[in-house]
Amino acid sequence: MNILISNDDGVFAPGILAAKQAVEDLANVTVVAPDKNNSSVGRRLTLFKHLQIESCQLEDGSSAYSVNGSPADCVVVGAKYVMDEKPDLVISGINQGVNISCDITSSGTVCAAFEAVSLGIPAIAVSLFMDPKTSYKRDEKGEWYIDYDFDLTKKVLHDLVLKIIDKGFPEEVDLFNLNVPSNYESEDVKITSLSHKMLDKKVIDNTDEEKEEIFSYPLDENQDSDDLIMITPDLVKEYDEGSDGYALLVEKRPSLTPLKVNMTYDELKDW
């Protein structure tokens, strides 16, 4: 089996190495990913513009390719240019963060999987939800660091790919969206549906005292805060039972959502 792995966090993000390690005993793996972070870019494509592709090495010494484009660009470049044959499967991730609900259309991780489907390749988008209460830790010097515990995510991804090899993709399913919590209480995977939304968004300016610290992020050169606004997201707290958000954040177990790319609603005959 030939697997193409990409992501939206960048080729040197720890999650992409974890994804490769999760499945490299099952398939021939090729890694093609953005040269830098491309979170929340959706399915942006770079058309009729030059892209730079470079060979590089991951932390374990294995080879990979970086592209100065979007996650969707990397899937096209990997499948159509780097690999000698069309991949049997595309894996996008492991994303460092959560990708649930109908908000997934803004996710570079999930939309890389969408792009794979458009090329006739089944795909898996996989994300690790890092609970701030347990994932952010301090070392002996008091410095903060992020504890990327990919163990359960790698296990679930490995087992999912193994099942796909054994049984094939489920009929009429185009891609899977897999989310695994870092602070899990159960390792059992729940088949879920998309929540209504993941993020509550607010627009702030320099008069917002509640989010003053966020608005005070470093400004670009020649910027004046008097003329600036900022969109800030907060994670939704309540989810319907059976949804991806409920499994991930309430039941604290892995969520696997089967998806179809065609979003047509076909019951409008009497409208």
Side-chain angles (χ1 to χ4, degrees):
M1 190 179 198
N2 296 309
I3 294 178
L4 171 63
I5 298 181
S6 193
N7 72 351
D8 73 351
D9 292 318
V11 70
F12 297 115
I16 203 164
L17 177 60
K20 183 187 82 73
Q21 292 171 341
V23 299
E24 61 186 352
D25 66 322
L26 302 176
N28 303 311
V29 176
T30 302
V31 175
V32 183
D35 62 347
K36 58 180 179 293
N37 188 289
N38 270 258
S39 296
S40 300
V41 301
R43 198 173 161 185
R44 188 188 74 204
L45 283 170
T46 307
L47 302 178
F48 300 108
K49 294 182 180 179
H50 297 103
L51 290 171
Q52 184 78 35
I53 181 170
E54 296 182 351
S55 60
C56 57
Q57 283 191 337
L58 302 182
E59 191 174 331
D60 66 349
S62 60
S63 61
Y65 295 88
S66 70
V67 177
N68 66 335
S70 69
D73 290 333
C74 293
V75 169
V76 175
V77 170
K80 293 282 192 176
Y81 183 78
V82 173
M83 300 181 71
D84 294 330
E85 300 177 6
K86 186 171 79 170
D88 302 294
L89 178 70
V90 167
I91 296 174
S92 182
I94 300 169
N95 179 65
Q96 300 154 212
V98 60
N99 277 310
I100 57 174
S101 84
C102 297
D103 286 345
I104 57 171
T105 51
S106 67
S107 164
T109 301
V110 179
C111 285
F114 282 166
E115 190 60 35
V117 173
S118 77
L119 300 176
I121 309 165
I124 303 169
V126 53
S127 302
L128 171 67
F129 171 58
M130 297 178 294
D131 188 332
K133 296 178 181 178
T134 57
S135 296
Y136 293 83
K137 300 179 179 179
R138 279 181 169 169
D139 60 21
E140 297 176 352
K141 298 180 180 180
E143 299 292 332
W144 287 98
Y145 71 96
I146 302 176
D147 180 15
Y148 297 109
D149 184 358
F150 292 108
D151 287 349
L152 180 58
T153 313
K154 290 165 67 174
K155 178 182 181 298
V156 175
L157 179 60
H158 179 277
D159 291 349
L160 177 59
V161 173
L162 191 60
K163 186 164 187 176
I164 291 169
I165 292 173
D166 183 40
K167 294 190 173 183
F169 242 69
E171 189 175 351
E172 297 189 5
V173 174
D174 291 327
L175 67 142
F176 284 116
N177 187 35
L178 172 64
N179 283 269
V180 180
S182 63
N183 62 337
Y184 59 91
E185 295 180 358
S186 170
E187 297 185 12
D188 294 334
V189 179
K190 181 75 171 288
I191 304 298
T192 56
S193 58
L194 291 178
S195 308
H196 175 60
K197 66 176 179 177
M198 178 179 72
L199 300 173
D200 282 323
K201 305 172 190 75
K202 180 180 180 182
V203 181
I204 63 174
D205 57 24
N206 63 354
T207 66
D208 193 298
E209 296 180 0
E210 180 184 352
K211 296 183 179 291
E212 180 180 3
E213 183 177 350
I214 295 176
F215 192 80
S216 299
Y217 285 170
L219 303 178
D220 293 337
E221 188 177 356
N222 299 323
Q223 279 189 323
D224 185 341
S225 65
D226 290 340
D227 301 322
L228 300 178
I229 57 175
M230 179 186 288
I231 301 173
T232 62
D234 289 313
L235 193 63
V236 171
K237 300 292 193 300
E238 297 183 1
Y239 299 91
D240 293 334
E241 190 170 353
S243 69
D244 49 6
Y246 192 88
L248 190 70
L249 301 171
V250 179
E251 298 178 315
K252 296 185 178 179
R253 60 190 293 187
S255 160
L256 184 67
T257 309
L259 298 173
K260 289 180 64 66
V261 170
N262 190 331
M263 295 180 280
T264 304
Y265 182 73
D266 59 3
E267 298 295 331
L268 208 60
K269 298 173 183 176
D270 298 328
W271 183 70

